[in-house]
Amino acid sequence: MTVRLTRRTALAAAAATLAAPRLAFAAPVEIEVHYAMPAVYKDVMDRLAADAMAAHPDIKVSYRQASASYDDGAQLVLREAVTGRQPDLSFQGLNRLRVIAERGLATDLAPLLAAEGDAGKLGYTQELLGLGKAGGVQAGLAFATSNPIVFVNADLFRRAGLDPDRKLTTWNEIIEASGKISALGGGVHGSYYRWQGDWIYSALLFGFGGRMMDEAEREIGFAGPEGRASLTVLDRLVKEGGMPALSGEAGAQAFAAGRVGMYFWSTAFLRQAQRSLGGNFQLATWEFPLGDRARGRLPTGGAAGMVLAKDPVKRQAAYRFLRHCTSPEGTAVMVKGTGYVPVNQLAADDPRHLGDFYRENPLFMTGVRQMPIMVPWYAFPGSNGVRISSVITDNVSRVVEQKAGVDAALADMARDVTRLLPRA
């Protein structure tokens, strides 16, 4: 998946006329919209709804209570669908599109896009459209995409005698620097890897060239040397780098307070980090270290909008709002308000949308530079995806909390995930 930051004159000139279909409804149509992670998305979603309703007064956007996480959001929609109470539009984690689509809940957006003409001229490249495909259909449109990066406290680096302008690119360098920063004492930690969740674990695994499952989806793919190398990095960060076993939010707060040298997490945290620092220290961002530079890849985090409405009129209204959210204008709002990378090619190409923004905000370019090595956020087959994520997190936690060795945790993780997969 790539985004080219070169201006395409012809496409950029057409962008203003392609923001969304403009057919008017005979009477205002209200749609119920659901999303997750309000700490990241709320301001952006409020702005998008206000802009959409101003441009399309025949549509009223009403938000349901946001879910705390993508997994919570998926479980909510699956429960509500049993009684037909699912929202008209739901923004789901990219790894949960599969289970929702395979339940037959998602509207295939391909015919709706085709009715507008060439999707490429709307800014939807084949790579971007591919992120929303699941269950054999165009189950959604990518709304926000991210990759993992390193957030760096430049002040702590200098205090430890390290140069924050020299990017560290290997895990050995990272672990050594983490140990030096932790040696400062006084409640300072060299690093915090936010290990909770299968996505951030897969960042290590994919970075070593590994896979969650084999290509045929018959065998676990993380039980071999790449999986062991991934857990070993976390084990060494604790033992040699002084990494604390904090909860995810506690780790983020410790970084914002200036007590953590390196914080490994999603680009989606960037705007939130800038707001929470309050001038505590100079922030830098680095590319995520790859365990295998030749084979290493990074998982695509983020969300896609899925039209779940059964009523034809609400379905069309929900699609129009989704098109607004993923248009060049909507994408620019999303990127500037979060730290996610673009989901619309026109937004990246046209300086009116993001070209100038990236030049003026170089910290946001780190995630963009990694886009050529982004691969889809893996979705396990079957209906136990959320439980599998919990199994992975639980076993990674055992390593970080030093309650189990790498080999024991990896063996348990492989065994328990295998039990939750569909039987052939």
Side-chain angles (χ1 to χ4, degrees):
M1 171 186 172
T2 59
V3 166
R4 299 170 294 280
L5 291 174
T6 57
R7 187 173 183 177
R8 296 180 184 175
T9 307
L11 293 182
T17 63
L18 295 172
R22 297 300 301 267
L23 296 176
F25 295 112
V29 177
E30 181 174 0
I31 56 171
E32 293 188 342
V33 180
H34 161 265
Y35 66 94
M37 296 177 22
V40 174
Y41 287 119
K42 185 180 185 306
D43 291 346
V44 166
M45 299 307 292
D46 287 348
R47 166 73 183 276
L48 289 171
D51 289 350
M53 288 188 289
H56 306 279
D58 55 334
I59 296 177
K60 179 180 179 182
V61 177
S62 296
Y63 286 121
R64 290 189 179 180
Q65 182 174 353
S67 299
S69 69
Y70 288 142
D71 283 351
D72 290 338
Q75 296 284 56
L76 175 70
V77 164
L78 291 173
R79 287 196 306 270
E80 290 184 336
V82 174
T83 57
R85 295 184 57 254
Q86 69 268 23
D88 300 308
L89 174 65
S90 180
F91 291 87
Q92 290 286 331
L94 292 172
N95 68 327
R96 299 300 175 226
L97 270 62
R98 180 174 184 170
V99 66
I100 294 173
E102 289 178 349
R103 297 283 184 92
L105 301 176
T107 297
D108 184 359
L109 302 180
L112 295 172
L113 282 168
E116 295 188 65
D118 184 352
K121 291 182 179 179
L122 303 176
Y124 303 113
T125 65
Q126 289 304 307
E127 295 91 344
L128 291 167
L129 288 174
L131 294 175
K133 290 183 178 178
V137 301
Q138 188 69 51
L141 290 179
F143 166 66
T145 57
S146 66
N147 52 59
I149 61 173
V150 189
F151 295 85
V152 177
N153 182 325
D155 294 1
L156 284 181
F157 265 70
R158 296 188 184 99
R159 280 182 57 192
L162 301 168
D163 181 4
D165 294 326
R166 186 179 75 85
K167 294 181 181 181
L168 305 182
T169 60
T170 70
W171 285 112
N172 284 336
E173 292 176 317
I174 291 285
I175 292 166
E176 181 182 1
S178 180
K180 290 180 178 179
I181 295 171
S182 292
L184 294 172
V188 167
H189 305 287
S191 59
Y192 180 73
Y193 191 97
R194 188 165 178 164
W195 71 88
Q196 298 86 356
D198 67 323
W199 178 77
I200 196 62
Y201 168 72
S202 72
L204 281 169
L205 180 69
F206 294 175
F208 278 99
R211 303 172 58 102
M212 284 294 200
M213 294 192 72
D214 67 8
E215 194 167 351
E217 294 193 322
R218 293 177 180 173
E219 301 290 339
I220 291 295
F222 59 76
E226 297 89 356
R228 190 180 192 283
S230 302
L231 290 183
T232 298
V233 165
L234 296 175
D235 190 48
R236 291 183 62 200
L237 281 172
V238 175
K239 291 176 177 175
E240 302 171 40
M243 185 177 82
L246 301 173
S247 69
E249 286 306 310
Q253 291 167 8
F255 179 75
R259 301 198 309 273
V260 172
M262 293 170 284
Y263 178 51
F264 300 84
W265 189 226
S266 166
T267 56
F269 178 69
L270 181 51
R271 182 62 80 189
Q272 187 180 349
Q274 290 178 320
R275 291 169 179 163
S276 62
L277 295 185
N280 288 338
F281 57 85
Q282 180 187 350
L283 176 67
T285 58
W286 293 346
E287 286 82 356
F288 191 87
L290 298 177
D292 186 319
R293 293 188 184 183
R295 298 189 300 138
R297 298 292 184 266
L298 294 176
T300 304
M306 306 184 76
V307 175
L308 308 179
K310 298 303 180 185
D311 178 80
V313 175
K314 287 183 178 289
R315 184 185 301 132
Q316 183 65 33
Y319 171 71
R320 283 172 55 186
F321 180 54
L322 176 57
R323 280 277 291 108
H324 172 81
C325 293
T326 58
S327 69
E329 295 79 7
T331 293
V333 169
M334 180 277 299
V335 169
K336 294 175 183 179
T338 58
Y340 283 103
V341 292
V343 296
N344 188 292
Q345 186 66 54
L346 302 181
D349 288 343
D350 191 340
R352 293 175 302 170
H353 298 302
L354 288 173
D356 291 339
F357 170 78
Y358 281 125
R359 281 188 286 275
E360 296 166 3
N361 296 271
L363 295 184
F364 285 74
M365 276 299 298
T366 301
V368 174
R369 285 193 294 269
Q370 295 185 144
M371 292 186 76
I373 59 170
M374 288 168 63
V375 295
W377 184 356
Y378 184 72
F380 284 91
S383 59
N384 288 324
V386 174
R387 292 176 65 189
I388 288 173
S389 295
S390 295
V391 166
I392 291 173
T393 296
D394 290 347
N395 282 285
V396 172
S397 296
R398 292 168 66 205
V399 172
V400 174
E401 295 167 0
Q402 300 291 282
K403 294 179 179 178
V406 167
D407 291 332
L410 188 62
D412 290 346
M413 186 162 69
R415 180 198 64 214
D416 293 344
V417 168
T418 298
R419 289 173 176 173
L420 292 171
L421 292 170
R423 295 174 183 264

